[in-house]
Amino acid sequence: MSLNDKWYEIITGYPFLNMTSFFKVPYGDIIYDFKKMPNREKYLCTPRNQYERELITSVNVGENLGGNGFINPTGWKSFSIFNRTGKSHHTIVHDFLPSIDKIEYLECYRMIKKHKWTNVKKHFPSLQRWIQSTIKPCFHLAFVRFMILKPGGIIPPHNDIPQEVLGIHKRNRIASYNMLNSINISLFQKPGNVFCLDNKLINFKPGGAYWVNVGKKHWVVNMSDEDRIHLQIHGLYKRSYRKYVVENIESIKKNTVLDK
């Protein structure tokens, strides 16, 4: 079996994998920069532009309970430190195509190589250093965003697959919206936070880095008395990362199982 075949088997075969030991996130330093960021609250925003509002709607973020019952997301805020536009309040734009075969991989690469640091870059020197030393050797970076869930906040069950690509991704062998496609990192959270993906609880602790398939149904609740602060990273995987994962998948799986 070739490297690519083994890689495809892995990225389509798991809802999440524990990558904490590989990424070694300096979460304390990043949170320190976050907390001393001046006027921080003004950057914590819900999507503002029309494209992002439509994309939020298209992934059905909200749970229909039947009759008149409907749960909407509450307490969720976000801002970007790296994206297509260079604007921190653009938190969803990412330039990913529905499938990730060779042709579309190259097309995505041509688009995301133009992505840039946003206007909040200067506030996060620790995060910048870590991304340059650890993430960029593994990924062609597409976006990095902070995700904050307020006390009592709820993100109801949903799949991060836009409606317009649902039919497309089911027909493609390699679907970018339905594979291990996102690194989710806990920077700060207290007991009382629950993250459930594909009907499985992820045991997030500060510093924990999980590689997740957000195309699977997932939901989050913050039942603590402080903000839950996570970091999400998305990009195209370089050969060095693919090779590492394939060669070390047994120990990665073991760490994931032991962590539950």
Side-chain angles (χ1 to χ4, degrees), residues 226-239:
E226 292 195 48
D227 290 353
R228 169 192 181 268
I229 306 169
H230 277 217
L231 193 71
Q232 185 181 30
I233 299 171
H234 202 139
L236 296 175
Y237 308 115
K238 295 182 179 179
R239 181 178 174 81

Side-chain angles (χ1 to χ4, degrees), residues 124-227:
F124 294 97
S126 297
L127 179 56
Q128 287 182 63
R129 288 193 296 269
W130 177 71
I131 287 174
Q132 292 291 351
S133 66
T134 304
I135 298 300
K136 285 199 170 181
C138 301
F139 291 14
H140 298 294
L141 198 59
F143 72 81
V144 181
R145 65 176 177 172
F146 284 84
M147 301 183 295
I148 296 88
L149 190 63
K150 297 290 184 179
I154 298 171
I155 303 175
H158 68 286
N159 306 73
D160 289 350
I161 303 177
Q163 293 295 306
E164 64 267 25
V165 305
L166 267 174
I168 297 172
H169 98 266
K170 289 177 181 177
R171 294 193 300 271
N172 279 280
R173 179 172 180 267
I174 305 178
S176 62
Y177 287 97
N178 193 17
M179 66 180 195
L180 292 170
N181 51 22
S182 177
I183 303 297
N184 193 307
I185 296 165
S186 172
L187 298 176
F188 181 84
Q189 65 182 67
K190 293 178 67 175
N193 279 274
V194 179
F195 187 110
C196 184
L197 187 148
D198 197 34
N199 293 318
K200 301 172 181 67
L201 294 178
I202 300 182
N203 187 25
F204 271 115
K205 298 176 183 177
Y210 283 80
W211 189 20
V212 300
N213 177 354
V214 291
K216 303 289 187 183
K217 183 167 284 190
H218 56 287
W219 54 270
V220 187
V221 177
N222 181 359
M223 296 178 286
S224 77
D225 59 357
E226 292 195 48
D227 290 353

Side-chain angles (χ1 to χ4, degrees), residues 4-5 17 29 58 108 116 145 193 205 230 242 260:
N4 284 342
D5 287 337
L17 291 171
D29 295 335
S58 77
C108 286
K116 64 196 80 171
R145 65 176 177 172
N193 279 274
K205 298 176 183 177
H230 277 217
R242 299 198 302 270
K260 292 180 182 178

